[in-house]
Amino acid sequence: MGEHQAPLRAPAGTHDVLWPDSARWERLVGEFARRARLAGFGLVLSPMFEDAALFRRGIGDESDVVRKEMYEFADRGGRDVALRPEGTASVVRAFVQHHPPVPWKAWYVTPAFRYERPQAGRYKQHHQLGVEVLGTDDADVDVEVIALAAGLYAWLGLERVDLAVNSMGCAECRPAYLDALRAYLDEHRDELCDEHRERYRVNPLRVLDCKRPACRAATESAPRITDYLDEACAAHLARVREGLGALGVAHRLEPRLVRGLDYYTRTTFEFSALALTSAQNAVGGGGRYDGLAEAIGGEPTPGIGFGIGIERLLMACDAEGVFPVAPPSPDAFVVDVTGGEVARDLTAELRAAGLAAVRAYDGRSLKSQLKQADRSGARYALIVGPDELERHVVTVRPLRAEGAQEPVGRDEVVAWLTDAGSER
Ligand code: HAM
């Protein structure tokens, strides 16, 4: 025999979600699915890894996500692949590959992988709920998409969520803005952080996104993109803001908001949880990407979507003290001290009737089974001892509700419990 090995642990920056905490995940994903369906979205599943070129071309070679954070590797066949750092590029790739009719509205829930330094609210594997709409640049879709996210935060009971909205302009008007921004940064070069002093010319927008105090201060009075939008982009932004106002979605214009992915055009937005004190307080973000489909080899097709980080969203709920989810408790716990056959058959019957039924295993004593029944949170213990077996009955003992225990005929137990359930 070998020596005892130290137990292996999940890699830093990843985490397990165990029951009963996972009950919140189940409820959250279920509600998101429901809301997405009501808004005309269908579930889309796509691979966890893709040709790395998809992310390089789609998200942009100059983004931090691609440059520093991608889980990229050669597989055993020498192919250059990457774990998805986000959901949008894959969904747009799937759209381009299968050309479904437009407008195409997809929702997803997916892990996303980013090689970041783990800290509170920042993981190497996180999870996102998201939607994408392909095939229309109607500003009302932007409103619909933003309102879908805002509605989820409200349903959770979150009250301290800030929504910042901006426009990144388009291929026509953005170059003039970039020129102006570069000219400004040329003059303030020495004030920038070490990284951006070297790199700002390649992608000046990244400087606006930099969280370091030096860059923040240096760009305080930098040119604002909203002053450079052409007529069509300005009208689009105005229509989005008007729509948000009409639907009662509070927001503010934030001309500094550029987001970390390079595919954005026109509308961008970010939701921040003000109850989270860490710098990692973005609980969702997204925007329009009218050039993305073309950048990855498809027909030019406009699109918009968002991603919501599930871990951060739940952290925000904890910080505001909302969205507690009680772990589901079973309807019945079958206690059988006659050999287990009744427990085996009765749990199967109860489950077939739609009741949640659990039991003990390994021939435990009556005392031990009753303790387990109590711990399980079950509403009733269904007790079968030699006497019950003989009389073909089950002793139904309320564990949560008021009332005395009573014998119920073995063949009537399922109906009895179903009635008890409907009286609740
Ligand atoms: P993103 O802003 O990079 O956008 O990520 C979306 C959300 O995922 C963030 O707001 C945050 O809640 C969460 N998140 C991101 N990185 C981490 C991390 N390392 N640890 C924990 N949570 C994280 C996107 O991914 C775009 N695909 C959104 C989109 C969809 N744009 C258009 N369509």
Side-chain angles (χ1 to χ4, degrees):
M1 294 296 275
E3 270 177 44
H4 183 71
Q5 305 271 323
L8 294 169
R9 302 178 58 84
T14 72
H15 55 93
D16 304 309
V17 184
L18 302 186
W19 187 88
D21 288 344
S22 56
R24 297 173 99 192
W25 286 65
E26 225 180 302
R27 187 98 202 282
L28 174 65
V29 175
E31 178 65 13
F32 185 71
R34 193 185 74 81
R35 286 169 175 267
R37 181 164 39 76
L38 292 179
F41 290 84
L43 174 66
V44 167
L45 306 171
S46 55
M48 235 20 64
F49 65 92
E50 300 263 3
D51 193 329
L54 170 66
F55 302 118
R56 272 203 295 275
R57 279 194 240 156
I59 299 173
D61 271 331
E62 276 307 315
S63 64
D64 282 357
V65 168
V66 168
R67 223 159 50 87
K68 304 181 190 165
E69 298 167 4
M70 208 148 68
Y71 274 89
E72 185 177 359
F73 56 98
D75 74 4
R76 286 170 188 271
R79 297 170 202 90
D80 183 14
V81 297
L83 301 183
R84 59 159 50 151
E86 53 108 54
T88 310
S90 301
V91 171
V92 175
R93 196 265 312 134
F95 170 84
V96 166
Q97 185 172 336
H98 304 286
H99 32 80
V102 297
W104 192 60
K105 299 172 94 174
W107 77 268
Y108 52 88
V109 50
T110 183
F113 306 88
R114 298 185 188 180
Y115 197 83
E116 300 198 83
R117 204 157 38 80
Q119 51 178 261
R122 194 158 80 180
Y123 308 102
K124 290 185 170 176
Q125 176 178 341
H126 70 279
H127 296 79
Q128 288 189 17
L129 293 167
V131 300
E132 312 294 344
V133 183
L134 273 299
T136 166
D137 65 0
D138 191 325
D140 287 359
V141 171
D142 306 29
V143 175
E144 220 178 83
V145 162
I146 296 171
L148 179 62
L152 187 75
Y153 302 123
W155 174 80
L156 288 164
L158 290 172
E159 289 181 350
R160 303 186 55 211
V161 178
D162 169 73
L163 168 57
V165 174
N166 192 20
S167 173
M168 300 301 296
C170 65
E172 268 82 64
C173 60
R174 200 184 314 171
Y177 173 66
L178 293 181
D179 286 346
L181 183 59
R182 265 196 207 93
Y184 175 90
L185 294 174
D186 282 339
E187 280 179 24
H188 294 80
R189 184 175 181 273
D190 296 340
E191 301 156 37
L192 301 179
C193 75
D194 292 348
E195 179 185 355
H196 289 117
R197 205 176 308 134
E198 299 308 317
R199 297 188 60 85
Y200 74 94
R201 287 218 131 248
V202 189
N203 188 345
L205 290 174
R206 289 278 70 80
V207 185
L208 296 181
D209 202 25
C210 180
K211 303 281 183 289
R212 294 183 196 104
C215 283
R216 293 209 73 86
T219 54
E220 198 64 48
S221 46
R224 297 168 160 240
I225 191 155
T226 38
D227 295 330
Y228 290 78
L229 298 177
D230 63 21
E231 212 173 304
C233 288
H236 188 96
L237 177 61
R239 173 84 188 176
V240 171
R241 300 197 62 199
E242 179 200 319
L244 291 175
L247 299 193
V249 179
H251 68 281
R252 63 189 174 82
L253 184 67
E254 175 49 77
R256 288 185 63 107
L257 176 69
V258 295
R259 311 235 332 115
L261 310 156
D262 286 345
Y263 48 58
Y264 290 113
T265 54
R266 291 195 167 172
T267 312
T268 50
F269 54 93
E270 201 153 84
F271 292 92
S272 303
L274 303 178
L276 292 179
T277 43
S278 75
Q280 315 300 323
N281 71 347
V283 289
R288 197 159 259 298
Y289 42 80
D290 293 343
L292 177 53
E294 201 176 356
I296 62 171
E299 295 293 316
T301 314
I304 180 166
F306 65 69
I308 291 176
I310 296 181
E311 288 85 356
R312 280 196 207 162
L313 186 59
L314 293 177
M315 282 170 65
C317 288
D318 290 340
E320 285 203 33
V322 298
F323 195 50
V325 175
S329 44
D331 296 298
F333 191 107
V334 181
V335 172
D336 177 354
V337 287
T338 66
E341 287 84 0
V342 177
R344 178 192 65 201
D345 301 347
L346 188 52
T347 47
E349 285 169 37
L350 290 162
R351 291 167 192 167
L355 293 162
V358 292
R359 53 165 294 194
Y361 304 99
D362 306 314
R364 299 291 168 120
S365 69
L366 179 65
K367 195 171 155 209
S368 149
Q369 292 197 37
L370 284 172
K371 209 157 127 192
Q372 275 192 49
D374 208 44
R375 266 209 317 255
S376 75
R379 287 192 301 128
Y380 295 94
L382 308 182
I383 306 166
V384 185
D387 183 46
E388 282 89 353
L389 192 64
E390 167 103 31
R391 292 163 51 212
H392 204 62
V393 296
V394 170
T395 296
V396 178
R397 178 185 293 177
L399 296 176
R400 294 284 169 274
E402 294 290 304
Q405 64 179 38
E406 57 179 297
V408 175
R410 167 70 180 82
D411 299 331
E412 277 84 58
V413 178
V414 174
W416 192 98
L417 263 186
T418 306
D419 288 349
S422 62
E423 279 163 20
R424 254 186 300 172

